[in-house]
Amino acid sequence: MNYKIVRLNTQAKTSKTSSVLIIYTGGTLGMAYDESGSLVPFNFGQILDKIPILSNLDVAITVISFPSPIDSSNVSMLHWKDMAYIIHENYDSYDGFVVLHGTDTMAYSASMLSFMLHGLNKPVIFTGAQLPISALRSDARENLMTSLEIATAKIDGKPLVPEVGIFFNHLLLRGNRSKKVQSVHFDAFESENYPPLAESGIVIDYNTAAIRPYEPNRKLQLMNELDNRVMILKLFPGITDQIMDSCFATPGLRGVVLETYGSGNSPSEAWFMRSLERAIKKGLIILNVSQCNGGRVIQGRYETSRELLNVGVVSGADMTTEAAITKLMFLLGQSPDRDVIRKRLMIPLAGEMTT
């Protein structure tokens, strides 16, 4: 991919000036109204015209833009590989990274990069906006400015947030714990099962107890083998064995995220369990997560979930669906051994679940 590179003319004020790489993939934040009133991507070389205060930051900023900015609804494995590759290739040259991304699939991308960037020890902050940067009441300026500050924040020379996060509407959330919950309000993201990493007000208040500790001996390793032969199956009252068997018979399918009720409950009818058992014996990995925002799967807590455990369904604990499906794609790409994958699904790889 032929990336577009822009180095902004911000002024260094000290010899300790921080450096940030902004990766623009697309999304509302990077849009502006043209003469006809249509939204089009704007030239990031002119971002200082949109946000003049950027030039006052003691930060050296470089922007790498996808050649054709994408609507986040079109994000694919190739785009994840591009984002991770850019960060890996530029890792030693910058103090932190800000990824500008559409909101619809931001939680999926942040989750996947938390797995792909093994050994990450620097901030990778995803952000975006609900309104374009040229709009009068846009949230883009605040989201971008604070993300830049978080990406360069240090204490005793060490990054304060050495992990993948999402900053939106005054909150910094762990990327693989986040979920988009609003489409018309500024508070677009929530993290019900994990506390915010930081909250911005007059100052940025960091929740250091929740942030993954900096580990000086960690070395970044790009792990970009992925397998998207997966699907999400959401249970609903009235689901039939024909629907389930048809889904499980999808050619090439290797893994399924099963969205169950409450704390991991499902129908207890014999046909339902037989369908799952046949699929698992055929070689499918089935990962159980809760449909509830903030839910946690506890297989065996109720009789209706005990059989799931018995037939070999893997508990996803308190993972979000976004983290569960990307983790499954990631692990399927890393190993052909089904037993290894099942075991690794049940342990945290990047803080995505509570054990």
Side-chain angles (χ1 to χ4, degrees), residues 107-168:
Y108 290 92
S109 294
S111 295
M112 181 58 90
L113 260 65
S114 75
F115 303 130
M116 295 177 71
L117 297 171
H118 180 71
L120 179 70
N121 225 6
K122 293 182 179 182
V124 175
I125 310 301
F126 278 75
T127 195
Q130 296 287 63
L131 290 174
I133 202 166
S134 57
L136 183 63
R137 296 179 52 251
S138 176
D139 54 335
R141 299 175 187 85
E142 169 63 23
N143 287 347
L144 177 56
M145 292 290 293
T146 308
S147 294
L148 290 169
E149 186 171 348
I150 292 170
T152 57
K154 295 182 180 180
I155 185 169
D156 298 329
K158 302 170 185 177
L160 261 174
V161 187
E163 59 174 288
V164 179
I166 289 178
F167 180 80
F168 221 90

Side-chain angles (χ1 to χ4, degrees), residues 3-21:
Y3 308 106
K4 298 177 182 178
I5 302 176
V6 176
R7 287 179 174 83
L8 302 185
N9 187 27
T10 52
Q11 298 298 314
K13 297 177 179 62
T14 71
S15 59
K16 296 182 180 180
T17 295
S18 298
S19 58
V20 175
L21 178 62

Side-chain angles (χ1 to χ4, degrees), residues 287-306:
L287 178 62
N288 184 5
V289 299
S290 175
Q291 295 180 15
C292 300
N293 189 14
R296 177 183 175 89
V297 167
I298 308 175
Q299 288 189 165
R301 182 176 186 178
Y302 296 100
E303 184 178 356
T304 51
S305 67
R306 193 174 303 133

Side-chain angles (χ1 to χ4, degrees), residues 65-238:
S65 177
F66 279 17
S68 298
I70 56 170
D71 185 303
S72 72
S73 299
N74 293 320
V75 164
S76 69
M77 286 199 311
L78 292 178
H79 298 116
W80 289 332
K81 290 182 178 183
D82 285 335
M83 294 177 215
Y85 173 82
I86 292 171
I87 292 169
H88 181 260
E89 288 299 299
N90 293 278
Y91 190 69
D92 294 332
S93 301
Y94 296 91
D95 295 300
F97 303 85
V98 172
V99 182
L100 305 183
H101 194 290
T103 58
D104 285 344
T105 58
M106 187 185 293
Y108 290 92
S109 294
S111 295
M112 181 58 90
L113 260 65
S114 75
F115 303 130
M116 295 177 71
L117 297 171
H118 180 71
L120 179 70
N121 225 6
K122 293 182 179 182
V124 175
I125 310 301
F126 278 75
T127 195
Q130 296 287 63
L131 290 174
I133 202 166
S134 57
L136 183 63
R137 296 179 52 251
S138 176
D139 54 335
R141 299 175 187 85
E142 169 63 23
N143 287 347
L144 177 56
M145 292 290 293
T146 308
S147 294
L148 290 169
E149 186 171 348
I150 292 170
T152 57
K154 295 182 180 180
I155 185 169
D156 298 329
K158 302 170 185 177
L160 261 174
V161 187
E163 59 174 288
V164 179
I166 289 178
F167 180 80
F168 221 90
N169 192 47
H170 308 299
L171 290 179
L172 175 67
L173 309 176
R174 176 166 287 172
N176 56 33
R177 293 284 195 150
S178 304
K179 178 183 290 288
K180 184 177 180 182
V181 295
Q182 291 284 355
S183 61
V184 295
H185 298 290
F186 288 143
D187 54 342
F189 292 88
E190 288 182 358
S191 173
E192 288 294 323
N193 283 335
Y194 200 76
L197 305 185
E199 184 171 358
S200 68
I202 295 174
V203 297
I204 301 176
D205 184 17
Y206 291 94
N207 183 4
T208 54
I211 299 171
R212 192 186 64 77
Y214 174 81
E215 299 177 44
N217 296 324
R218 284 170 67 93
K219 301 296 181 183
L220 183 67
Q221 181 182 356
L222 177 62
M223 305 180 74
N224 64 356
E225 294 298 323
L226 310 174
D227 190 333
N228 64 351
R229 289 176 290 176
V230 297
M231 68 173 296
I232 298 169
L233 177 59
K234 186 184 184 84
L235 296 188
F236 58 91

Side-chain angles (χ1 to χ4, degrees), residues 241 244-245 248 267-282 286 307-308 311:
D241 54 346
M244 292 185 56
D245 290 343
F248 295 150
S268 56
E269 285 92 339
W271 65 262
F272 180 83
M273 294 302 170
R274 283 198 300 267
S275 181
L276 290 175
E277 190 170 17
R278 284 195 300 269
I280 291 169
K281 286 182 176 179
K282 190 176 66 174
I286 300 181
E307 281 303 307
L308 295 178
V311 300

